[in-house]
Amino acid sequence: MNKFATILAGGGGTRFWPLSRQEIPKQLLNISGNDIMLNDTIERFKGIIPQENTVIVTNRSQAVLMESIMHSSVSKSNILIEPVARNTAASILFAALSIEKNHGDSLMVVLPSDHYITDEDQFRLTLDEACTVAMESDKIVTIGIKPTFPSTGYGYIAFNKNPISSKPVAVYEVAEFVEKPNFQKAQGYLSSGNYLWNSGIFIWKTSVIIDNFKRYLPRLYKTMLPIREFLGTEQEEDIINQVYPTLQNISIDYGILERSDDVVVLSGQFGWNDIGSWDALGSIFPPDESGNIIKANHLGIDTRNSIIYGNGRLIATIGVDGFIIADTGDALLICPKDKAQSVKEIVELLKENGMTEYI
């Protein structure tokens, strides 16, 4: 069975504003110092999935730049462009129908484009095991991350502690997907031992996920069928432009994963981090002796536990403790680290005030 990777790369990375913008979101930025995050993602599954079997789902504003800087092994024809954002369920069905039409029933691995992983060998081993489970069953397979602290920034997966299978690896039935909890609940999840962080990595046969769409999201499936019919024809773009605005706006988690009885999880431990917001930079860069992460021309007095990012001009701080300061030339962000998740609200405020040049 052919294996394909589907990378969801259309997000705006709003919690990483002002560095991440609509046309150059964080997945197209080199944050780690290796390569842009999208290319890091493609390089990571080398040896498990042929890199030329990479399908990328993105939006129109990012597609041109993406074509010029993405991994050389990926064909431009494998970039699926959404004219409007309709959440992850539509993106995944778009990719599944495209893969199934062109290659028949195939194994499909869904990956976010903006994660950071330190132990890539262990990641490949876990991904290979998950592929085996998905190929040998008709299950929806996800990889959960064993939590290392009570995170309030990640979603969680509750699982039944008795594995339903132990070959090639322990596989657990998913009991529930849980949204980002408050700190007290997160502490309870950590101590219980049967919760994992939701990595957003999913593995399934295209036939399995399409059947789940038919069952749980029939309206979305039926509305999307004309796109499948016209893929590869001269009418493809026109049909996509007509159909996409009418699609249901729903996530794969709400639409299918939380409703299906056929979801299983493998536990992964490979140094996973969702670089979703500024405070996550600590997982990439070690702080200095004062607890600061500084990527800027900076001079500080009594400055501690802060993240300071600049674009060249001097940033001087005095008595700053636990702050994010991000300067990109045309915009400056200053906020407490514990408000990092709220940065996306600034982007919404910019939209409301018509200040689109900063988005």
Side-chain angles (χ1 to χ4, degrees):
M1 179 175 283
N2 290 325
K3 294 180 184 176
F4 286 83
T6 293
I7 301 177
L8 305 182
T14 53
R15 286 177 293 164
F16 236 91
W17 184 91
L19 183 61
S20 179
R21 304 292 179 97
Q22 220 165 38
E23 293 187 1
I24 312 178
K26 70 174 185 288
Q27 61 265 24
L28 300 184
L29 297 172
N30 183 341
I31 294 175
S32 68
N34 299 321
D35 199 342
I36 64 169
M37 298 193 84
L38 175 63
N39 286 344
D40 281 346
T41 302
I42 296 168
E43 194 62 29
R44 199 172 289 136
F45 54 73
K46 186 177 182 179
I48 305 300
I49 303 166
Q51 289 174 312
E52 62 271 20
N53 286 3
T54 303
V55 174
I56 298 172
V57 186
T58 190
N59 61 59
R60 190 173 290 149
S61 66
Q62 298 171 19
V64 174
L65 176 61
M66 186 176 293
E67 288 178 1
S68 67
I69 62 177
M70 71 180 181
H71 202 287
S72 59
S73 65
V74 182
S75 166
K76 291 180 182 179
S77 62
N78 278 6
I79 298 179
L80 304 180
I81 301 173
E82 298 178 304
V84 293
R86 284 296 178 265
N87 219 315
T88 53
S91 301
I92 287 168
L93 181 57
F94 188 8
L97 292 174
S98 175
I99 292 168
E100 180 263 346
K101 179 174 183 178
N102 293 322
H103 305 279
D105 194 15
S106 303
L107 192 73
M108 180 177 174
V109 177
V110 177
L111 298 157
S113 58
D114 54 359
H115 289 179
Y116 180 73
I117 289 170
T118 57
D119 190 343
E120 297 196 347
D121 289 338
Q122 185 60 42
F123 168 77
R124 291 185 185 99
L125 177 61
T126 304
L127 183 62
D128 194 37
E129 291 168 342
C131 288
T132 299
V133 172
M135 281 193 291
E136 293 180 353
S137 70
D138 287 331
K139 298 291 186 181
I140 291 172
V141 181
T142 184
I143 298 174
I145 308 299
K146 188 173 182 180
T148 54
F149 65 95
S151 171
T152 59
Y154 297 152
Y156 286 75
I157 299 170
F159 63 95
N160 299 327
K161 284 189 174 180
N162 295 322
I164 60 173
S165 172
S166 57
K167 292 182 180 180
V169 68
V171 179
Y172 302 90
E173 189 174 43
V174 169
E176 179 182 22
F177 285 82
V178 183
E179 288 300 298
K180 297 171 184 177
N182 60 35
F183 185 72
Q184 188 175 1
K185 282 186 177 180
Q187 283 182 312
Y189 296 162
L190 188 64
S191 59
S192 75
N194 66 310
Y195 282 82
L196 300 167
W197 286 334
N198 183 358
S199 71
I201 300 171
F202 309 112
I203 307 96
W204 45 52
K205 296 172 187 169
T206 52
S207 57
V208 167
I209 195 60
I210 290 170
D211 283 345
N212 274 268
F213 272 99
K214 290 177 183 177
R215 180 176 179 183
Y216 297 109
L217 291 173
R219 179 161 59 92
L220 179 59
Y221 171 75
K222 289 174 183 175
T223 310
M224 186 80 85
L225 279 180
I227 292 179
R228 182 195 183 281
E229 181 182 348
F230 286 94
L231 284 172
T233 70
E234 292 181 358
Q235 292 80 32
E236 176 182 331
E237 186 175 352
D238 288 340
I239 295 298
I240 291 171
N241 290 339
Q242 289 173 28
V243 169
Y244 238 85
T246 71
L247 295 177
Q248 200 172 350
N249 189 336
I250 190 169
S251 72
I252 194 73
D253 299 63
Y254 282 129
I256 291 179
L257 301 181
E258 293 183 7
R259 301 165 70 186
S260 176
D261 296 326
D262 294 321
V263 187
V264 298
V265 64
L266 282 66
S267 177
Q269 290 179 270
F270 36 75
W272 172 91
N273 288 279
D274 174 6
I275 309 300
S277 53
W278 283 102
D279 59 334
L281 285 185
S283 61
I284 299 179
F285 305 111
D288 63 19
E289 64 276 5
S290 298
N292 298 314
I293 297 170
I294 298 174
K295 297 293 175 182
N297 180 14
H298 171 256
L299 281 176
I301 299 171
D302 194 24
T303 298
R304 297 183 177 88
N305 308 313
S306 295
I307 295 169
I308 301 171
Y309 178 92
N311 73 332
R313 69 175 171 176
L314 177 66
I315 299 174
T317 56
I318 302 173
V320 171
D321 191 345
F323 269 75
I324 296 165
I325 300 172
D327 176 24
T328 57
D330 66 337
L332 173 66
L333 169 73
I334 303 171
C335 78
K337 283 172 70 175
D338 63 5
K339 296 290 185 182
Q341 299 294 319
S342 300
V343 172
K344 62 183 178 182
E345 295 172 21
I346 290 290
V347 178
E348 292 303 314
L349 202 57
L350 289 169
K351 290 178 183 176
E352 290 173 16
N353 286 279
M355 302 170 71
T356 54
E357 69 270 26
Y358 298 106
I359 303 173

